[in-house]
Amino acid sequence: MILNDAKKVLISREQIEQRIAEMGRQISDDYRGRNPVLVGVLRGSFVFLADLIRAVSIPLEVDFISVASYGSQKNSSGVVRLLQDLNTNIKGRDVILVEDIVDTGITLSYLIDNLKTRNPASLVLCALLDKKERRQKEPGILKYVGFTIPDKFVIGYGLDHAQQYRNLPYVSWVEEE
Ligand code: IMP
């Protein structure tokens, strides 16, 4: 279908690797002596999270949460559904929420409000990509950002289009149909 498009590289494998090494070092410095829980938001973040944790040199735990936003593939409706909850009790824990991309911010804002009710000791957001231009709701806790990108629908490195392309080792984009 759009395989030719997927060959265009927006962010290369090497750029991702280098930036994640920096982010991992920063998280290790910021959380030294603590034992943070890194919470991956399924499904898009699993590739990023897998690489990120191996760039962090301090003890940590990993858990996952899954949400779905009603609406078309490219536009959040604002109505969010929790599909799979955490297994970890995050009360009193330092939580780092790990996302593939912050787009409108609608899904994340819901998730953040939900996690805050569980009284973590701290809660910050770490995203590989930030599509700032599209923001409707600002998740105030965005602390670690890999790359700020233009308003393009991106695929690869965990991000999908109709569930395809998550396995691309770099970030590419889809042309508007
Ligand atoms: P938001 O609620 O609009 O911020 O969207 C959040 C979710 O939409 C992300 O976690 C992604 O799963 C998905 N998403 C947003 N933009 C893109 C994109 O460019 N490519 C693939 N998925 C995207």
Side-chain angles (χ1 to χ4, degrees):
M1 60 212 258
I2 44 173
L3 266 175
N4 285 335
D5 288 344
K7 293 200 176 113
K8 292 175 301 199
V9 178
L10 183 65
I11 307 171
S12 71
R13 200 175 188 155
E14 293 74 24
Q15 285 173 300
I16 295 171
E17 201 177 289
Q18 196 185 352
R19 184 73 189 108
I20 289 180
E22 289 168 3
M23 294 170 91
R25 273 196 295 274
Q26 202 186 339
I27 290 172
S28 307
D29 286 347
D30 292 350
Y31 287 84
R32 202 162 300 284
R34 290 141 88 184
N35 178 23
V37 189
L38 275 69
V39 173
V41 184
L42 293 173
R43 283 174 254 176
S45 73
F46 76 100
V47 178
F48 173 44
L49 182 66
D51 283 342
L52 181 67
I53 58 168
R54 285 174 289 176
V56 176
S57 56
I58 57 161
L60 58 80
E61 291 176 30
V62 173
D63 204 347
F64 292 96
I65 198 162
S66 179
V67 289
S69 176
Y70 290 101
S72 68
Q73 159 101 51
K74 295 185 185 175
N75 289 296
S76 296
S77 64
V79 182
V80 180
R81 203 157 46 110
L82 189 61
L83 296 182
Q84 185 191 306
D85 205 350
L86 296 174
N87 287 312
T88 312
N89 179 359
I90 58 167
K91 186 172 181 200
R93 300 296 304 271
D94 293 306
V95 177
I96 305 176
L97 192 59
V98 179
E99 252 292 26
D100 50 359
I101 184 166
V102 187
D103 184 24
T104 63
I106 292 171
T107 315
L108 268 177
S109 298
Y110 162 86
L111 200 50
I112 290 162
D113 287 348
N114 180 305
L115 294 181
K116 274 184 180 163
T117 65
R118 308 179 195 195
N119 297 316
S122 66
L123 175 63
V124 301
L125 177 60
C126 172
L128 179 68
L129 306 174
D130 183 3
K131 223 193 275 181
K132 262 199 179 121
E133 288 166 42
R134 297 248 310 159
R135 198 76 90 254
Q136 291 177 33
K137 257 187 157 179
E138 202 54 59
I141 59 169
L142 185 50
K143 183 162 182 196
Y144 307 102
V145 176
F147 302 90
T148 300
I149 60 164
D151 182 8
K152 285 177 184 289
F153 193 84
V154 290
I155 51 173
Y157 200 72
L159 289 136
D160 76 304
H161 180 250
Q163 298 306 327
Q164 296 295 306
Y165 307 111
R166 293 192 199 272
N167 54 328
L168 288 178
Y170 49 86
V171 175
S172 182
W173 74 93
V174 178
E175 298 295 352
E176 287 303 320
E177 287 122 32

